[in-house]
Amino acid sequence: MNWEVVIPLLAFLIGMFVVGIYTSRQVQSGSGFLQDYFLGGRHLGGFVLALTMVATYGSASSFIGGPGIAYKLGLGWVLLAMAQLVTGYFTLAVLGKKFAIVARKIDAVTLIDFLKARYENKWVVIFSAASISIFLFSATAAQWVGGGRLIESFTGVSYPVALLIFSFSVLVYVIAGGFRAVVITDTLMGIVMFIGTLVILAGTIIAGGGVPHIISTLAAENPNLISPYGADKSLTPLYVSSFWLLVGVGVVGLPQISVRAMSYRNSKAMHQAMIIGTFVVGFIMLGMHLTGVFARVVIPGVEIGDKVMPMLALKVLPGWLAGIVLAAPLAAVMSTVNAILLIVSSSIVKDIYINYIKPEASQQSVKRLSFSVTAIIGILVFIMALNPPDLLIWLNLFSFGGLEAAFIWPVVLGLYWRRGNAAGAVGSIVTGVLSYILLDTFAPNLWGMHTVVLPVVLSLAAYILLSLVSKNNPQSSLVKQGII
């Protein structure tokens, strides 16, 4: 075991434990528990909001899978990855003030709280909770695999042992501190991710002999590596432009991102987050994916893309610095995992159990159930992750597409179109999810576009058509009261 690398990583994990224990003392008991545990009391400032969005969105795909594919496809994948530049800005611009105002008025803690109040229909809630559980479970498995592989790479322990270490570390501080622990650790993780990106990019450029030498070496190996179309010419203009929907504007439909748009303190905090978040996301995505491409010159012949970043850090950096830098992808994975865990557990506890099974449940029983459900989900994902896929990025992007197809129109049009109703929302969710799963299974990337495009279009058509033709769905009280 390389202790020079392991010791900084252990210090990082111990720090996360301390934060989880400390923040567990700040979580309210009694009537404020749900607000605090799942939403942090709606007190996030601009800097914290920006970094928690960056850390939540930045995941194993951003730091492991994405650079791994960039290693294989070249600069074309860097161009495609920069679609993520607008993620935080667009999410806060579209949801922003209106979503937060409505959430406060109806005391919403989760995205499904908003959908329940907006459409006043149990099937909207049930289908929404089912979609979250299905797609976020696969996303959580992808992150679990990423965390396990990282720890395996730089400690030398077997994959199952590494996975167990990662799972235990995440579950302790998420269960203990809830959302408040998540956003505080996300802030620290966001800083680590930013610094780690800068260090690994600089180290790779130096090891590769400078940018001109790296580019000329790539061009000599395969001119397509420095073209917009990718080494195998698979990155067609239509595919790249459609990818912007998946990782750019469509992110507004991701529950783990949208819930942050109801957690900030005030308008000033939101505006600060839009600026800070855009800059940090842009730097991290550009830096990490460029590093993945440049790594092809420094460590040629890597067969498994997910191993590029750990191998690169150990190659170009001193051991102690590699340990610090490798905390960046570990931070990205952990921050995404903890956010997803809370979303899934809140959809089960808050949206199903309290709404339809036991509305009279005491706060103490809800608290115990929240802890238990979070732990059970983590254990189930651990079991699923014991047999990992070769490239985890595809599992993560599958989750993104399914959630966007399900939620983008019920959320956005639910906020801005008064005619939208429960029939439209149910039709949109069902159409989006089913068409996405079917297309992904039988006709992926149909007509050269990313699979998510057609389901999003079909779900939009279903929302508008069913809202217009349904006569048995009266306007919700939010519309009647002028809140929407």
Side-chain angles (χ1 to χ4, degrees):
M1 185 176 290
N2 188 344
W3 287 105
E4 195 177 10
V5 177
V6 172
I7 288 173
L9 283 162
L10 286 176
F12 171 76
L13 291 175
I14 291 169
M16 296 303 99
F17 276 121
V18 172
V19 169
I21 294 169
Y22 172 77
T23 51
S24 68
R25 299 175 182 175
Q26 313 301 314
V27 174
Q28 296 182 29
S29 58
S31 60
F33 171 75
L34 286 175
Q35 291 276 349
D36 233 25
Y37 188 75
F38 289 124
L39 214 54
R42 307 184 201 271
H43 295 312
L44 302 192
F47 182 75
V48 174
L49 175 62
L51 288 188
T52 190
M53 290 188 73
V54 169
T56 299
Y57 182 73
S59 64
S61 293
S62 307
F63 283 81
I64 303 172
I69 292 185
Y71 179 93
K72 293 180 178 296
L73 295 184
L75 293 178
W77 191 265
V78 179
L79 175 64
L80 181 144
M82 290 311 294
Q84 298 166 96
L85 177 67
V86 300
T87 299
Y89 188 95
F90 188 79
T91 300
L92 291 175
V94 172
L95 299 181
K97 294 180 182 179
K98 189 161 188 176
F99 192 54
I101 290 170
V102 172
R104 281 169 168 80
K105 286 185 177 180
I106 63 177
D107 205 25
V109 174
T110 66
L111 175 65
I112 297 180
D113 275 345
F114 164 74
L115 296 175
K116 179 175 181 286
R118 172 63 178 87
Y119 298 108
E120 298 176 349
N121 184 282
K122 72 175 183 179
W123 292 110
V124 172
V125 175
I126 292 170
F127 285 136
S128 297
S131 299
I132 285 175
S133 299
I134 292 168
F135 289 110
L136 282 186
F137 194 83
S138 64
T140 309
Q143 306 309 318
W144 236 253
V145 172
R149 279 184 169 160
L150 272 171
I151 293 177
E152 176 193 23
S153 297
F154 46 64
T155 64
V157 301
S158 66
Y159 175 76
V161 174
L163 190 63
L164 184 62
I165 294 170
F166 175 77
S167 303
F168 181 76
S169 303
V170 171
L171 286 174
V172 165
Y173 79 84
V174 175
I175 293 171
F179 192 93
R180 192 182 294 272
V182 168
V183 297
I184 292 175
T185 53
D186 276 0
T187 304
L188 300 176
M189 290 173 182
I191 295 170
V192 171
M193 289 156 63
F194 186 90
I195 296 173
T197 300
L198 179 63
V199 171
I200 192 69
L201 177 60
T204 304
I205 291 173
I206 293 170
V211 175
H213 179 262
I214 291 172
I215 295 299
S216 62
T217 304
L218 291 171
E221 179 187 349
N222 181 354
N224 290 324
L225 284 169
I226 60 171
S227 79
Y229 306 110
D232 57 0
K233 296 186 178 181
S234 61
L235 303 179
T236 63
L238 185 58
Y239 181 81
V240 172
S241 59
S242 67
F243 206 83
W244 281 64
L245 176 62
L246 179 68
V247 297
V249 297
V251 173
V252 71
L254 297 179
Q256 66 269 38
I257 299 296
S258 61
V259 73
R260 274 142 175 79
M262 63 169 73
S263 61
Y264 58 85
R265 183 184 302 128
N266 50 36
S267 296
K268 181 180 178 182
M270 184 192 77
H271 294 146
Q272 289 174 342
M274 292 170 75
I275 297 170
I276 296 170
T278 300
F279 171 75
V280 175
V281 166
F283 177 79
I284 289 175
M285 295 304 163
L286 179 62
M288 291 307 299
H289 288 84
L290 272 179
T291 300
V293 178
F294 293 170
R296 194 174 179 108
V297 174
V298 179
I299 49 171
V302 178
E303 295 296 327
I304 300 176
D306 289 346
K307 292 186 176 181
V308 168
M309 294 310 295
M311 291 175 63
L312 182 67
L314 295 172
K315 169 82 173 178
V316 305
L317 299 176
W320 64 271
L321 186 55
I324 295 173
V325 167
L326 287 171
L330 187 61
V333 173
M334 292 177 73
S335 60
T336 302
V337 163
N338 58 36
I340 291 173
L341 275 176
L342 284 179
I343 291 289
V344 177
S345 62
S346 67
S347 69
I348 294 170
V349 175
K350 177 76 171 62
D351 303 318
I352 300 297
Y353 181 76
I354 294 178
N355 283 338
Y356 299 111
I357 298 175
K358 198 172 182 181
E360 71 281 4
S362 67
Q363 288 294 320
Q364 193 61 35
S365 65
V366 170
K367 187 174 183 178
R368 285 196 301 269
L369 184 62
S370 299
F371 294 160
S372 301
V373 168
T374 305
I376 291 169
I377 293 168
I379 292 168
L380 291 175
V381 173
F382 167 79
I383 294 170
M384 180 178 176
L386 283 171
N387 186 22
D390 290 333
L391 274 173
L392 58 86
I393 187 172
W394 302 123
L395 190 59
N396 206 46
L397 293 179
F398 170 77
S399 168
F400 271 33
L403 291 169
E404 290 169 10
F407 292 113
I408 186 169
W409 302 123
V411 173
V412 175
L413 294 182
L415 275 175
Y416 294 103
W417 191 42
R418 293 168 61 88
R419 287 287 301 276
N421 57 33
V426 170
S428 180
I429 294 171
V430 173
T431 301
V433 169
L434 289 181
S435 61
Y436 180 75
I437 292 174
L438 290 172
L439 283 171
D440 187 76
T441 303
F442 299 108
N445 303 331
L446 188 64
W447 301 320
M449 300 182 296
H450 190 276
T451 305
V452 75
V453 175
L454 192 55
V456 166
V457 172
L458 292 174
S459 64
L460 172 62
Y463 187 97
I464 294 174
L465 181 63
L466 291 174
S467 293
L468 291 175
V469 302
S470 61
K471 298 179 180 179
N472 298 323
N473 280 273
Q475 288 185 328
S476 71
S477 56
L478 291 184
V479 175
K480 292 177 181 177
Q481 295 169 20
I483 296 175
I484 296 295

